[in-house]
Amino acid sequence: MKKFIIVLITLLCGFTYADEFKITKPFIQKGHSSSVTALAVTPDGKYFVSGGADNTVKMWDKASGTLIHTFTGLNQSLEQVDISSDGKLVSGSSLLNDDILWNTNTKKTVVTGKGMVGAVGAISADGRHYAMAKNDNIYIINTATLKAEKQFNAESWVKSIRYVDNTSFVYSLSDSLIYSDNNSDVIKKAIAKKDMKITDVSGNIVTACNMDGDIMVWNLKSGESEFIRTDDQMLYGAALAADKKSVISAGTKGAAIWDIATGAKKSVIYDKPAFSVTTVKNSGELLVGAFGSIKLMTDTGNIIKSYGENAPSIISMQEIPSNRTFVSGTNNGELIFRSQRDGAITNIINVFEESSPVKVSVSSKYIAAISGKIIKILDLNNLKMISRFAYLSTAMFATFSEDGRYLAVSGGLKTSPVLVYETESGSIVHSIDVPDMLIRDVRYSSDGKLLAVPKSTFTAHPTGHAGPYSWIIYCLTP
């Protein structure tokens, strides 16, 4: 393997996959076109909202399955959504922490933190107040007058925030959870694991988790905390179960139930990747966010209903400039080719088993189709497979060198190296151990001599801002 030199630089850069999928006739997109990353439900279980990696927030009628409205305006994957008890207000906070509050009757924006780095918000139980955090400041906004009634400093960057009732809320910092009220009085404080976000509040019980696999259950009344270490490689969400003795996790391994007292896994209720979870408080049912759909389930794993299934999930899409088409990977193992001119489908090929999510990366000569650990290289001209190889774990990010000769792949985890493969042979030519951080992307320079790996958006930047600002540049040498 070859050697490389490391250079740390700071850039303002972003990276997105677009998405699309298999159809044989035009369809109306109702469900999310990618993974469902955030969920919230009204106390009576009548309505729920979902946020997705497609940057949208959707409001649903739970009983009928009707999509009431799709809210847009955010530019990144949703990290948190909220809905008032009467269903009249909906909010969404994105991956880069832009934030918008909408009125569900008028469908118009009421409050926006869009463009504010570090903005994340929550709606009070009665809908009268909206708590919006921007970096280390929290604003209590009256939703009738739209004026901030209170502003106070939280001491450090606020990662998440949720109301407990009409007048008190909890928020998370880098290593602690704070229970406060609208007057900025701190009621209680608890030490947490690193980079935890609050994912559920049920009465006096707060549930939080981080992407490393840790779940925290904090009892606001007693002040006691319980920690559970899951076996998931990447944990996206957690919620208190109806019995209040268990929590449900959502991660790359699916959705599972864990005993709070012992920390033991009790059962797996969904065996495909799950990106969010919440409990329907009045019925004990669960809502689980999957690829492009939301599953209404029992705690034994029975699926009662699925929302958004009519819109197959679009996992990734890239342009093929040489023939003016787009190729998209779907959640059912297919690659779909579409004309840039009119969007017409020009080809559909099956590259993986049905229900397998497929990511794509394109060079001037090849297409890389990726599902789980497996990477298949196809000739761009005849779409025949020329090589097949496997990464160490689930491959999250991949990019070709300009000439297509090499493919750099990352699993996204702190323990995952970046492996550079020779495209046609599948041989590993570089293995790069990245410093302790979550990897959000991998990019080649045009001459193929530099490989850029950004610091995680989930790790606080030295300036206190969120976002993919810091990149490590690897200079590849013979």
Side-chain angles (χ1 to χ4, degrees):
M1 297 183 188
K2 299 178 181 179
K3 298 180 180 179
F4 44 84
I5 302 168
I6 303 174
V7 180
L8 180 63
I9 65 172
T10 299
L11 298 171
L12 183 59
C13 245
F15 173 79
T16 58
Y17 271 124
D19 300 284
E20 197 161 350
F21 110 144
K22 176 180 181 179
I23 56 173
T24 56
K25 59 183 179 181
F27 67 91
I28 298 174
Q29 181 81 31
K30 290 186 177 179
H32 289 280
S33 63
S34 191
S35 51
V36 178
T37 54
L39 291 163
V41 61
T42 56
D44 61 6
K46 186 176 181 179
Y47 304 113
F48 73 90
V49 287
S50 57
D54 59 359
N55 312 344
T56 67
V57 175
K58 296 178 182 289
M59 182 177 177
W60 305 83
D61 183 287
K62 174 179 161 289
S64 68
T66 301
L67 174 63
I68 297 171
H69 191 70
T70 297
F71 299 92
T72 61
L74 295 169
N75 297 320
Q76 291 288 333
S77 175
L78 272 291
E79 276 285 282
Q80 179 177 316
V81 292
D82 205 356
I83 184 169
S84 60
S85 297
D86 58 9
K88 293 181 178 179
L89 294 172
V90 164
S91 69
S93 304
S94 73
L95 185 64
L96 292 184
N97 296 102
D98 287 340
D99 184 71
I100 296 178
L101 176 70
W102 294 277
N103 182 304
T104 60
N105 290 326
T106 64
K107 311 299 188 294
K108 293 182 178 180
T109 297
V110 178
V111 177
T112 179
K114 196 175 186 312
M116 296 181 179
V117 177
V120 60
I123 306 169
S124 64
D126 59 9
R128 293 182 178 181
H129 291 93
Y130 186 60
M132 184 174 71
K134 176 190 174 185
N135 291 339
D136 56 359
N137 291 307
I138 296 177
Y139 303 83
I140 306 301
I141 299 170
N142 185 307
T143 57
T145 64
L146 303 184
K147 293 182 179 180
E149 294 181 349
K150 189 77 175 181
Q151 175 185 348
F152 61 95
N153 188 273
E155 298 181 2
S156 65
W157 178 38
V158 177
K159 294 179 175 295
S160 61
I161 187 168
R162 291 185 185 260
Y163 263 96
V164 176
D165 50 33
N166 295 334
T167 59
S168 63
F169 53 89
V170 287
Y171 57 93
S172 63
L173 306 179
S174 61
D175 57 1
S176 62
L177 303 187
I178 309 295
Y179 179 29
S180 181
D181 62 22
N182 285 346
N183 293 317
S184 76
D185 295 324
V186 173
I187 303 169
K188 280 187 174 71
K189 180 177 180 179
I191 301 301
K193 300 288 185 179
K194 185 180 179 181
D195 292 337
M196 282 194 148
K197 68 174 182 177
I198 299 164
T199 53
D200 181 65
V201 177
S202 300
N204 288 318
I205 307 299
V206 177
T207 305
C209 70
N210 61 21
M211 296 193 76
D212 291 334
D214 298 303
I215 296 176
M216 176 181 177
V217 181
W218 184 25
N219 188 313
L220 296 177
K221 189 174 182 179
S222 68
E224 296 179 352
S225 302
E226 299 287 346
F227 291 91
I228 298 168
R229 179 68 177 181
T230 71
D231 58 355
D232 217 310
Q233 291 179 324
M234 191 172 286
L235 194 63
Y236 299 109
L240 186 71
D243 64 7
K244 300 188 184 303
K245 297 179 181 179
S246 311
V247 289
I248 304 99
S249 65
T252 53
K253 290 188 175 182
I257 298 179
W258 302 80
D259 185 89
I260 296 174
T262 65
K265 181 190 283 188
K266 298 169 68 175
S267 62
V268 175
I269 60 171
Y270 187 70
D271 61 1
K272 296 176 183 177
F275 302 91
S276 54
V277 63
T278 193
T279 304
V280 183
K281 303 298 189 293
N282 70 330
S283 67
E285 298 164 334
L286 304 174
L287 286 167
V288 176
F291 275 113
S293 66
I294 304 103
K295 313 296 182 184
L296 179 66
M297 307 179 68
T298 66
D299 59 7
T300 58
N302 294 323
I303 297 177
I304 303 168
K305 186 179 291 186
S306 188
Y307 305 85
E309 281 279 270
N310 62 317
S313 299
I314 301 162
I315 308 305
S316 64
M317 182 175 75
Q318 286 203 358
E319 179 184 9
I320 305 176
S322 59
N323 57 11
R324 301 186 67 184
T325 60
F326 291 104
V327 58
S328 47
T330 75
N331 68 333
N332 59 358
E334 295 176 329
L335 294 182
I336 309 297
F337 297 81
R338 286 179 174 275
S339 167
Q340 289 184 23
R341 182 176 60 84
D342 57 9
I345 295 175
T346 59
N347 204 353
I348 301 175
I349 61 172
N350 293 304
V351 285
F352 290 98
E353 295 180 359
E354 187 177 351
S355 79
S356 299
V358 183
K359 303 183 186 75
V360 293
S361 185
V362 176
S363 75
S364 58
K365 298 179 181 179
Y366 309 107
I367 298 172
I370 305 161
S371 184
K373 298 180 180 181
I374 305 303
I375 301 164
K376 295 182 179 181
I377 304 298
L378 283 67
D379 187 294
L380 190 58
N381 293 320
N382 56 29
L383 300 182
K384 292 184 178 180
M385 187 170 71
I386 60 175
S387 64
R388 179 185 186 278
F389 44 91
Y391 183 68
L392 302 175
S393 58
T394 299
M396 298 296 291
F397 305 99
T399 186
F400 280 103
S401 58
E402 185 77 9
D403 58 7
R405 186 178 175 185
Y406 302 108
L407 181 73
V409 182
S410 166
L413 302 176
K414 293 181 179 180
T415 56
S416 302
V418 175
L419 298 183
V420 179
Y421 298 87
E422 189 174 49
T423 302
E424 293 194 1
S425 69
S427 301
I428 298 174
V429 293
H430 292 291
S431 179
I432 303 172
D433 292 320
V434 181
D436 185 26
M437 65 183 189
L438 295 172
I439 299 170
R440 307 309 302 161
D441 191 5
V442 182
R443 294 190 184 187
Y444 263 105
S445 61
S446 58
D447 60 8
K449 295 180 180 180
L450 303 177
L451 191 67
V453 181
K455 286 184 68 174
S456 166
T457 59
F458 295 97
T459 301
H461 187 267
T463 65
H465 298 308
Y469 294 89
S470 296
W471 294 67
I472 296 180
I473 306 299
Y474 294 88
C475 304
L476 307 176
T477 59

